[in-house]
Amino acid sequence: MKKLLFSQHSLEQEYRRSSRKAVLLLLFCSLLVLVCGLWFTAVGTAEATPADIFGALRGVFFHGGRLENANQKIVLLLRLPRICLAILGGIGLSVSGAALQGVTRNPLVSPFTIGISSAAAFGASLSIVYGAGPLGGTNTGIVISAFTWSLLCAAGVYFIASRAGMSPESIILTGIATNYLFNACDSVVKFFASDYQLAAAVQWLFGSLNGATWPQVLVVLLFSLPCLAGIYGFAQSLNILSGGDDDVSRSLGISPAFVRICVGFLSVLLTASIISFTGVIGFVGLAGPHIARLLIGSDHRFLLPFAALTGALLVLTGDTIGRIILAPVNVPVGIVVSFLGVPIFIHLILKERRGVS
Amino acid sequence: MYLQIKDLSFSYSGAAVLKHISFSAEKGQVVGLLGPNGAGKTTLLKCVGCMLPVKQGDICLDGKSLLSLSPRKRARKIGYVPQSSGRGMACRVVDIIMLGRIPYLRFRPSKQDRQIAFEAIERLQLEALAFRQFDGLSGGERQRVLMARAIAQQPELLLLDEPTSNLDMKYQLETIRLVRSYAAEKQVTAVVSIHDLNLASILCDQVVLFKDGASFAQGDSQQVFTRENIRRVYEVEVDIAEWQGRKQVFFAQLQELSKITPVT
């Protein structure tokens, strides 16, 4: 009788049905991000109406960039790039977090626990305080310096961890050590900085989307798209790697070290390209993937896109709250995201525990 | 001979763990790897599956060396069932089993891949669990899921690491029946590391008895099980009886244990 109930035909049907559910949930959340993006564009010191937003968009796409009023300019030149950078940043940081957690099998890992953020902060400080590197001291110089140092840090972690066979423990421990190293370096630079420079360096650390511009969005987009696509290509490998020990991966023909190196490189590149512009928006890389995992499970084919959406929503909401809560002062998004993410995070963890007992 | 292990040696950072192991098996046979803890059973199993880098000796399937194959091609020939670990993923059981198709596909499983995975589900009677989350299953259920994944790989060589050690009696027997019938039906050679000598005697056509990384005795399982062999390898006195045509092993000196009674 049981045999009849669950024939192969019905297994196939059930498989499709339950996969479709996840896809629908994904579509719904993408729509939510889009709606929030448009809605938050209207919110701010200068209230823009939906008409302004659509007017601005229409002006750009159909009338060769002709804008009718100041509100449309605010929308197009200040709000929209900021919203786009928030979405892209949230997506990138959260997906990097999910991917790194997968390859290290450790839910506490994020791009920031393995030293990238402190290396980027060190790079930024170097540029701000000493004007080191190309275009030192200018905004572009800070970005280049932060980006370069985070990649150098990742290369360092890679060389040390590969000596220890690229095991998850070696990656995490090396990452934590380099994190401390660059924190110390950063402190040294700041110790010798003037008050004015120190303020700028600390400001950078907060993580802010202030003054986002379209060129920045474009650069982040150019880095994000290939990195995101690449990471998603490893979704099944991440499932294997995070679900069993390395021998299981090998027996399925997947080299754990190869996956770790590729996914690690893509995640680092993605993170570095974002935080070089925005500064450290720390909590997203940890909370985004966790919230997604609690909602949809740990199948990376769904987890990765879902983490992207939760990350985008976190940063988007965080930045918008930061813009309006103490207006006209902008509270840096990094701070708001932590205030916002921690309660959600704790709530979900408690709910999960209750569900188990 | 179908599976041939030729003069295999292996060492972890200088310390020899396996010393000149050779054995061979026909299609459909089940080979048991036996021995005390740390004798090298699991290491040998992982060497046979090329999960550890084998530098000395050779492993041949159907006359061809497995060592020279690409990892992906090799994964189509060898299925590995790990010891059911505590780590659980919040993943549907059916997706875990579908991972067994990874060596065959590029990205998405085709209809045929799904069919093969569903067959594996039916063979292990996992229909009722197929859409549950893997991390919510019991140890025995997980073991069956991992076995289904290995079967979905459609291997020619099936490796099982302590497949019975976490199971209750019913599923121990069930696992033995499953491995034997699968090996016989699909003409697959199975290599099993196993602790329980009595279960090994029922499960295996031939056994390799290890001591300190070297083969102490090997051959037909009914001939290897002697009082002398077991005393020398395990340092335990046993009696051996034949029960329904299979050798079974019993502790010889239980009287002194019975003498230990609580002080009242």
Side-chain angles (χ1 to χ4, degrees):
Chain A
M1 201 53 214
K2 203 172 176 185
K3 205 86 184 168
L4 278 175
L5 272 173
F6 294 101
S7 68
Q8 277 203 17
H9 181 62
S10 70
L11 275 175
E12 171 83 26
Q13 273 182 338
E14 178 63 25
Y15 179 75
R16 289 198 176 165
R17 204 182 60 81
S18 101
S19 306
R20 208 179 300 132
K21 227 164 49 187
V23 173
L24 281 179
L25 198 58
L26 264 179
L27 282 179
F28 172 75
C29 285
S30 321
L31 209 65
L32 191 67
V33 171
L34 206 66
V35 169
C36 282
L38 284 176
W39 175 30
F40 293 163
T41 308
V43 179
T45 323
E47 284 291 342
T49 59
D52 290 327
I53 300 171
F54 289 111
L57 288 176
R58 207 169 44 236
V60 170
F61 288 114
F62 301 111
H63 303 292
R66 195 155 42 78
L67 299 174
E68 283 160 12
N69 55 35
N71 265 0
Q72 288 193 1
K73 273 189 186 144
I74 290 176
V75 165
L76 191 75
L77 298 176
L78 295 176
R79 298 265 173 84
L80 275 179
R82 188 174 183 145
I83 297 273
C84 289
L85 197 60
I87 293 179
L88 279 178
I91 290 177
L93 294 176
S94 188
V95 168
S96 307
L100 289 174
Q101 286 167 14
V103 290
T104 56
R105 279 186 221 120
N106 189 320
L108 299 177
V109 168
S110 78
F112 303 105
T113 43
I114 62 168
I116 302 168
S117 60
S118 45
F122 171 64
S125 299
L126 268 188
S127 181
I128 292 169
V129 176
Y130 294 119
L135 303 169
T138 65
N139 276 337
T140 320
I142 296 172
V143 168
I144 293 174
S145 181
F147 186 74
T148 316
W149 278 98
S150 28
L151 290 192
L152 281 177
C153 159
V157 172
Y158 163 69
F159 278 116
I160 300 172
S162 65
R163 293 239 160 157
M166 286 311 274
S167 68
E169 297 76 19
S170 65
I171 296 174
I172 296 169
L173 289 175
T174 317
I176 291 175
T178 22
N179 199 11
Y180 277 104
L181 174 70
F182 279 108
N183 267 333
C185 295
D186 191 33
S187 300
V188 170
V189 174
K190 282 184 184 145
F191 188 75
F192 292 108
S194 70
D195 286 354
Y196 168 73
Q197 292 164 330
L198 188 63
V202 170
Q203 187 75 36
W204 191 89
L205 255 190
F206 286 154
S208 162
L209 296 166
N210 260 348
T213 59
W214 282 118
Q216 291 181 356
V217 173
L218 195 69
V219 173
V220 174
L221 190 69
L222 281 178
F223 274 98
S224 296
L225 284 181
C227 288
L228 290 171
I231 291 176
Y232 193 73
F234 281 99
Q236 285 284 37
S237 304
L238 283 169
N239 280 344
I240 295 174
L241 216 58
S242 63
D245 56 21
D246 286 0
D247 291 323
V248 173
S249 316
R250 290 194 194 98
S251 78
L252 287 165
I254 305 266
S255 156
F258 176 73
V259 175
R260 286 201 181 104
I261 291 167
C262 292
V263 172
F265 175 72
L266 291 170
S267 309
V268 167
L269 198 61
L270 187 56
T271 308
S273 73
I274 293 165
I275 62 173
S276 303
F277 289 108
T278 64
V280 180
I281 310 177
F283 197 55
V284 193
L286 191 63
H290 271 280
I291 296 173
R293 195 173 291 120
L294 292 174
L295 292 175
I296 206 159
S298 37
D299 184 338
H300 285 78
R301 288 170 303 168
F302 298 117
L303 175 63
L304 290 173
F306 218 77
L309 297 177
T310 50
L313 268 181
L314 264 177
V315 176
L316 197 55
T317 320
D319 184 48
T320 307
I321 293 176
R323 269 197 296 133
I324 55 176
I325 196 163
L326 293 177
V329 176
N330 268 307
V331 182
V333 58
I335 298 174
V336 186
V337 163
S338 294
F339 276 125
L340 193 70
V342 170
I344 299 179
F345 195 47
I346 292 177
H347 168 73
L348 282 171
I349 287 170
L350 291 178
K351 207 174 117 198
E352 170 91 335
R353 286 284 164 276
R354 269 205 300 278
V356 168
S357 61
Chain B
M1 281 291 173
Y2 186 63
L3 170 71
Q4 287 176 302
I5 312 295
K6 297 174 187 163
D7 196 29
L8 188 88
S9 296
F10 188 79
S11 49
Y12 278 118
S13 52
V17 185
L18 295 176
K19 299 163 198 158
H20 308 288
I21 308 286
S22 300
F23 67 87
S24 49
E26 296 288 357
K27 275 187 179 183
Q29 276 194 327
V30 181
V31 184
L33 309 178
L34 297 171
N37 290 329
K41 303 185 294 275
T42 300
T43 306
L44 177 57
L45 198 72
K46 288 182 176 172
C47 283
V48 173
C50 304
M51 290 167 254
L52 293 171
V54 176
K55 298 206 180 69
Q56 287 169 290
D58 203 358
I59 301 147
C60 296
L61 204 59
D62 210 6
K64 286 186 283 275
S65 171
L66 286 176
L67 298 176
S68 54
L69 286 179
S70 75
R72 198 173 151 89
K73 286 228 173 86
R74 208 187 288 140
R76 295 178 189 174
K77 292 186 181 290
I78 309 173
Y80 169 60
V81 185
Q83 232 177 321
S84 160
S85 67
R87 194 178 298 119
M89 278 180 76
C91 228
R92 290 180 306 178
V93 164
V94 62
D95 288 321
I96 302 253
I97 293 169
M98 213 79 90
L99 290 178
R101 300 305 299 163
I102 286 279
Y104 295 88
L105 49 92
R106 278 275 153 234
F107 197 69
R108 283 171 64 89
S110 69
K111 176 133 197 190
Q112 194 205 352
D113 288 313
R114 287 204 295 274
Q115 205 123 40
I116 291 165
F118 293 152
E119 272 168 32
I121 289 177
E122 285 178 352
R123 180 178 281 274
L124 284 142
Q125 299 170 355
L126 289 165
E127 292 94 336
L129 304 179
F131 298 95
R132 293 253 303 272
Q133 300 284 304
F134 181 70
D135 57 356
L137 303 186
S138 72
E141 289 167 338
R142 285 183 191 187
Q143 178 86 48
R144 281 193 291 152
V145 173
L146 297 179
M147 187 119 67
R149 180 177 67 193
I151 284 175
Q153 258 172 287
Q154 296 186 313
E156 295 163 31
L157 174 63
L158 187 63
L159 308 176
L160 301 105
D161 193 4
E162 306 272 358
T164 53
S165 53
N166 285 322
L167 305 183
D168 61 27
M169 285 178 80
K170 178 183 162 196
Y171 281 118
Q172 284 182 341
L173 200 62
E174 188 55 43
T175 304
I176 287 173
R177 184 174 297 134
L178 203 105
V179 172
R180 281 202 71 85
S181 66
Y182 183 75
E185 183 187 322
K186 301 275 180 182
Q187 288 294 290
V188 164
T189 307
V191 180
V192 185
S193 80
I194 185 166
H195 254 304
D196 189 311
L197 296 177
N198 293 334
L199 292 177
S201 164
I202 309 170
L203 171 65
C204 307
D205 300 298
Q206 47 166 315
V207 295
V208 182
L209 188 57
F210 278 86
K211 189 180 184 188
D212 300 329
S215 162
F216 183 84
Q218 62 189 79
D220 184 293
S221 59
Q222 305 309 304
Q223 280 156 17
V224 170
F225 285 162
T226 64
R227 294 178 62 173
E228 179 64 15
N229 280 345
I230 288 170
R231 183 195 306 129
R232 299 271 295 275
V233 170
Y234 288 93
E235 295 165 9
V236 172
E237 290 295 331
V238 293
D239 285 326
I240 296 199
E242 204 166 287
W243 178 253
Q244 299 183 6
R246 307 302 277 181
K247 290 268 174 66
Q248 295 286 290
V249 179
F250 301 95
F251 290 113
Q253 296 158 334
L254 288 182
Q255 287 94 339
E256 55 181 295
L257 283 177
S258 320
K259 278 181 206 145
I260 307 172
T261 50
V263 185
T264 48

